[in-house]
Amino acid sequence: MGIVAGLDSSSVYTRIVVCDADTGQVVRHGHADHPAAEATPEAWLLSLGEAAGGGVLEDVSAIGVAAQAHAVVALDETGAPVRAASPPVGGEDRGRAAALEAAARELVDALGGPDAWSRAVGSVPQGGAPVARLRRLARDNPEAARRVAGVALAQDWLVWQLLGRPARMATDRGGASSTGYWSPLGGAWRPELVELALGHAVALPEVLAPAQPAGRTPEGQLISAGTGETMAAAFGLGVGPGDAVISLGASGSVCAVHGAALPPDASGGVTAYADATGHHLPVVRTLNAVRVLRGTAELLGCDLPALSDLALRSTPGAHGLVFLPYLAGERVPALPHAAGTLTGLRRESMKPEHLARAAFEGMLCGLADAADVLRRSGVRIDRVFLLGAAADLPAVRDLAPSLLGATVVIPAPATYTALGAARQAAWSLGVDQGTLSPDTPPKWPEPAGETYHPTDEALATGTGIRQQFAAVRESTHGEG
């Protein structure tokens, strides 16, 4: 079919991979940091141009675009950005995050509570959601909000620019599902929720089918629908039904591919995303992951690799220590004001290796609790892709299969978000050329990496550790 490109416009850089459309093999790539401290639309475009320099996009037949989560661009009636309601480089500061959380709470109350939101869009809005960003814009800058005639996500705006700013803007189900005003249950926009946030109706992009192109550039390159970074990364990894992706950052997230939208969840624990292929991609986020390991390492005066070595000197169950890892409160279970708890201290357990082991077990049990939220909703999880630098720690690799109750894959480092965007471009190109079905994406090889299968003995041990963790959690915080 030729070669295709995938663009990943994150909060701090643009990455481009150019791939063979049939095999997914990367043939060249480009990279450029955003030129400004504030991630504005103009900065994204300048970064894209720099990353594409030197002929990176030469002879490319189709382009896919993925972009940072939660970046929404408010446009006036001329198509000029009124303001980029997007996260700054480095994430939200405390004041900005608190203002966004307050805006989200206002929206929840304005619609009638969490249950009303869950019935409307399958999720309860959090502070980072585009709908909350629009609410904050209306509250803090009402003059600017009144000038907003349309809203788009970062990838939608970049696709529109690549196409020469046509009359129609487009997006895909995956991107639309991250806004807080598109319903995975009904498969349609809920424009009244944008009006609730901004105070008036605005134009929204057309939602395209997964393989449907957004159009062609003035030079004739096909542009696919585009999608959000979470959906693109899942597509680049090649996950499907039965697969989950767990991301290990300071906080954590668990998402899994599912064939249908989950029932409404008024608890706010599940975010109802769609994926880039026509399925659904529900996400459960935790507030604590690698921050638990870093805090423990700092307490013990070591780095993460040394903490991992210490943990592997201990025994399963950490010699009776149980670490509830709620250092920043927690979303799942809903314990926003909780602190961490360490129990089981005895003279013989008060050794660095046992505390290290308890930290790894506590972090993974917390993530397993998040995965169980999805399992209880009917989502099958047989295989877990574990992402993040901490996934390379030997203690994580050793403990994760038994505590997560699944085969664990540690994929080789790669630009999976850009690869997912490129795969979407290849799919649209194949449908356009008549070589692929709109129901079946191109079959690119699974990523290289290492796979770890839990033994029956390890699963039994992991079950025991999780039961002890659950007993301490319930005795400390109740059923939650």
Side-chain angles (χ1 to χ4, degrees), residues 52-265:
V56 169
L57 296 178
E58 185 177 350
D59 298 326
V60 165
S61 300
I63 299 172
V65 180
Q68 58 185 293
H70 298 157
V72 58
V73 186
L75 303 168
D76 66 19
E77 61 183 8
T78 71
V82 172
R83 177 179 170 184
S86 60
V89 173
E92 314 286 1
D93 59 36
R94 289 188 179 181
R96 188 190 298 251
L100 288 168
E101 289 296 341
R105 288 193 297 270
E106 287 179 10
L107 284 170
V108 171
D109 292 341
L111 194 64
D115 190 56
W117 276 96
S118 138
R119 291 195 307 270
V121 292
S123 308
V124 180
Q126 305 296 320
V131 70
R133 296 183 184 279
L134 294 174
R135 177 70 165 198
R136 183 180 177 229
L137 176 63
R139 188 182 62 185
D140 295 352
N141 196 335
E143 187 280 327
R146 282 192 292 271
R147 292 191 288 115
V148 176
V151 292
L153 297 178
Q155 66 270 13
D156 309 336
W157 187 83
L158 288 168
V159 164
W160 186 58
Q161 294 289 329
L162 290 171
L163 293 175
R165 298 166 58 102
R168 182 196 71 170
M169 295 190 78
T171 192
D172 87 316
R173 295 170 62 259
S177 69
S178 69
T179 61
Y181 43 87
W182 184 86
S183 171
L185 302 169
W189 290 117
R190 296 296 300 265
E192 74 277 13
L193 300 181
V194 183
E195 188 170 355
L196 181 68
L198 266 178
H200 63 275
V202 296
L204 298 170
E206 178 185 355
V207 181
L208 303 178
Q212 185 179 354
R216 290 186 178 273
T217 69
E219 295 76 27
Q221 292 167 314
L222 192 76
I223 306 294
S224 62
T227 196
E229 63 178 357
T230 299
M231 302 79 189
F235 198 28
L237 284 165
V239 300
D243 292 333
V245 179
I246 295 182
S247 296
L248 296 177
S251 55
S253 69
V254 182
C255 65
V257 177
H258 193 53
L262 297 187
D265 173 31

Side-chain angles (χ1 to χ4, degrees), residues 177 242 332 427:
S177 69
V332 179
W427 193 5

Side-chain angles (χ1 to χ4, degrees), residues 290-328:
V290 181
R291 73 169 78 249
V292 178
L293 304 184
R294 293 197 182 281
T296 307
E298 185 176 344
L299 181 66
L300 294 176
C302 64
D303 59 13
L304 292 185
L307 188 75
S308 174
D309 291 342
L310 277 172
L312 292 177
R313 293 180 203 167
S314 182
T315 54
H319 216 72
L321 293 185
V322 176
F323 190 169
L324 301 184
Y326 308 143
L327 304 185

Side-chain angles (χ1 to χ4, degrees), residues 376-438:
R376 286 194 296 270
S377 297
V379 179
R380 194 176 93 249
I381 299 178
D382 302 321
R383 182 173 65 162
V384 171
F385 287 80
L386 205 54
L387 306 183
D392 284 328
L393 295 172
V396 171
R397 296 181 177 215
D398 187 67
L399 301 179
S402 61
L403 293 175
L404 297 175
T407 296
V408 170
V409 178
I410 313 291
T415 55
Y416 290 109
T417 300
L419 285 168
R423 192 177 177 202
Q424 186 193 64
W427 193 5
S428 290
L429 181 64
V431 171
D432 183 72
Q433 294 178 346
T435 59
L436 290 175
S437 162

